[in-house]
């Protein structure tokens, strides 16, 4: 494992005398270590720059309280700034709209979109006592609709019956109608992905959005893909106006940098995190915990 940021900073500040306020050179020395820690955590470079600049503005000239070391003082400033940047309060899925509330799931192929659709549906059913209908609009990958059907069957979540030959927008309209007729509270629309962002994908997303008017558009992004995930998030957000992010494979991401980058680049809240393959491996996003993970 990497040396923790606290250890590194106390190393630097051990050399300093106990002066009253943090000087610019003390802060610069500390921020060099902060920068290194963030880069090791795979935070995007622009975000690293933005973050350290914000900390610097807050730190220079701050009086060091007698009871703490300058290192601890900087750690606290860095930590607080990071929690703020990650979005201090946890955000949940907003269901405050007439039923059935449409939730559209978007993201690249393999990001964990279908799995997350089922995870969220299960959570809404079991925790919030909502009646949820899931529909796969993925007509590109033949097995995709079947994959969602199986997940529904395994977890007791209703899925829209599969009808061959329909376009994604036709399925979407059918899903909304079925949800209305069936008295569902929520209808989850799992869209098709691609291996990369391209124009036909974006056009398809826009068309689905137009016919369903989703209350939430959740971008599913794989935390292990780092910088790529951030670029993907930016592209989707520009075209679909995403309302929140679901970060997957957080169980395999020991560093947590993608969360900070995503949030800083899109400004959109991270609403949930996938922490495993099972249907219940979904957690709320806790900025404090992620900040701790990034800073070590
Ligand atoms: P999609 O193509 O975006 O719909 O992706 P899938 O939902 O089919 O997921 C691709 C693979 O990632 C599957 O094997 C999932 O079990 C796995 N997966 C999805 N979310 C997570 C997660 O949070 N953690 C782990 N470890 N695996 C995940």
């Amino acid at each position: 494992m990497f040396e923790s940021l606290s250890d590194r900073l106390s190393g630097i500040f051990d050399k300093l005398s106990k002066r009253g306020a943090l000087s610019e050179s003390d802060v610069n020395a500390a921020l060099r270590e902060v920068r290194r820690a963030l880069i090791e955590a795979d935070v995007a470079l622009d975000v690293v720059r933005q973050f350290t600049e914000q900390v610097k503005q807050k730190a220079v000239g701050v009086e060091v309280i007698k009871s703490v070391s300058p290192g601890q003082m900087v750690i606290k400033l860095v930590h607080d700034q990071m929690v703020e940047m990650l979005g201090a309060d946890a955000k949940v899925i907003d269901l405050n709209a007439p039923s059935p509330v449409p939730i559209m799931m978007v993201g690249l192929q393999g990001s964990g979109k279908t799995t997350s659709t089922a995870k969220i549906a299960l959570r809404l059913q079991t925790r919030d006592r909502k009646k949820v209908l899931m529909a796969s609009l993925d007509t590109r990958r033949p097995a995709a609709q079947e994959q969602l059907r199986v997940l529904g069957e395994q977890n007791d979540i209703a899925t829209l019956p599969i009808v061959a030959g329909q376009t994604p927008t036709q399925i979407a309209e059918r899903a909304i109608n079925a949800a209305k007729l069936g008295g569902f509270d929520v209808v989850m629309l799992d869209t098709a992905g691609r291996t990369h962002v391209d124009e036909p994908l974006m056009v398809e997303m826009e068309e689905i959005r137009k016919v369903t008017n989703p209350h939430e558009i959740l971008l599913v992004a794989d935390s292990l893909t780092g910088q790529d995930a951030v670029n993907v998030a930016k592209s989707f957000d520009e075209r679909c106006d995403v309302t929140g992010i679901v970060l997957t494979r957080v169980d395999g991401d020991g560093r947590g940098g993608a969360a900070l980058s995503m949030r800083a680049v899109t400004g959109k809240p991270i609403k949930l995190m996938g922490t495993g393959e099972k249907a219940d491996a979904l957690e709320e996003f806790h900025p404090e915990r992620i900040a701790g993970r990034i800073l070590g």
Side-chain angles (χ1 to χ4, degrees):
M1 265 322 272
F2 304 118
E3 189 188 2
S4 82
L5 187 61
S6 333
D7 291 345
R8 289 182 192 177
L9 289 188
S10 61
I12 291 178
F13 285 106
D14 279 350
K15 296 186 209 107
L16 305 173
S17 56
K18 296 178 188 63
R19 277 164 297 176
L22 293 171
S23 73
E24 187 161 354
S25 65
D26 296 345
V27 172
N28 281 340
L31 288 182
R32 263 197 294 281
E33 293 304 321
V34 172
R35 202 170 291 132
R36 259 212 277 167
L38 295 183
I39 289 167
E40 280 168 11
D42 208 18
V43 177
L45 281 181
D46 283 351
V47 178
V48 173
R49 238 172 267 134
Q50 186 190 336
F51 179 78
T52 47
E53 193 47 47
Q54 286 169 349
V55 174
K56 186 171 166 180
Q57 279 173 13
K58 289 197 176 161
V60 174
V62 163
E63 289 290 325
V64 178
I65 311 163
K66 289 243 160 45
S67 55
V68 303
S69 68
Q72 285 167 329
M73 193 92 189
V74 175
I75 290 274
K76 178 158 180 10
L77 283 166
V78 167
H79 178 268
D80 291 352
Q81 185 63 34
M82 184 161 295
V83 170
E84 193 184 317
M85 205 184 222
L86 284 167
D89 48 335
K91 297 279 192 303
V92 287
I93 291 186
D94 180 8
L95 298 179
N96 198 7
S99 295
V101 183
I103 299 179
M104 180 173 168
M105 307 291 287
V106 302
L108 291 187
Q109 192 176 308
S111 59
K113 210 170 348 88
T114 303
T115 313
S116 300
T117 301
K119 284 179 178 180
I120 293 173
L122 183 63
R123 184 186 171 93
L124 294 176
Q125 270 194 184
T126 50
R127 287 202 186 196
D128 302 310
R129 306 263 165 242
K130 299 292 179 191
K131 198 175 162 196
V132 185
L133 176 69
M134 304 193 293
S136 168
L137 316 188
D138 188 349
T139 53
R140 282 171 59 87
R141 210 161 49 88
Q145 298 189 47
E146 180 60 15
Q147 184 190 348
L148 191 68
R149 192 194 66 75
V150 170
L151 281 171
E153 200 173 276
Q154 285 168 348
N155 295 289
D156 260 333
I157 309 161
T159 49
L160 186 75
I162 298 171
V163 174
Q166 286 199 314
T167 64
T169 48
Q170 286 169 336
I171 303 174
E173 283 172 330
R174 188 159 59 86
I176 301 279
N177 285 334
K180 276 183 191 157
L181 286 173
F184 286 88
D185 302 306
V186 178
V187 52
M188 302 212 48
L189 307 166
D190 180 21
T191 64
R194 302 273 199 284
T195 51
H196 60 279
V197 172
D198 63 14
E199 190 53 25
L201 175 65
M202 291 302 157
V203 170
E204 184 174 313
M205 295 303 114
E206 282 173 341
E207 284 171 353
I208 294 169
R209 193 181 154 199
K210 233 180 276 167
V211 299
T212 59
N213 192 21
H215 191 59
E216 288 265 22
I217 301 180
L218 301 176
L219 169 75
V220 180
D222 178 354
S223 65
L224 298 183
T225 57
Q227 299 278 346
D228 276 348
V230 176
N231 294 333
V232 166
K234 224 169 137 181
S235 308
F236 270 99
D237 191 35
E238 279 163 10
R239 292 293 285 272
C240 307
D241 202 10
V242 162
T243 58
I245 295 165
V246 178
L247 210 52
T248 61
R249 299 212 179 82
V250 175
D251 48 313
D253 176 22
R255 305 167 300 175
L260 185 67
S261 304
M262 277 306 175
R263 169 75 209 207
V265 170
T266 64
K268 297 295 161 72
I270 296 163
K271 296 210 164 183
L272 292 160
M273 302 188 309
T275 53
E277 297 200 39
K278 294 215 182 98
D280 61 355
L282 186 73
E283 290 179 14
E284 275 165 29
F285 179 71
H286 292 288
E288 293 271 349
R289 258 191 252 157
I290 295 292
R293 193 186 279 199
I294 295 173
L295 296 173

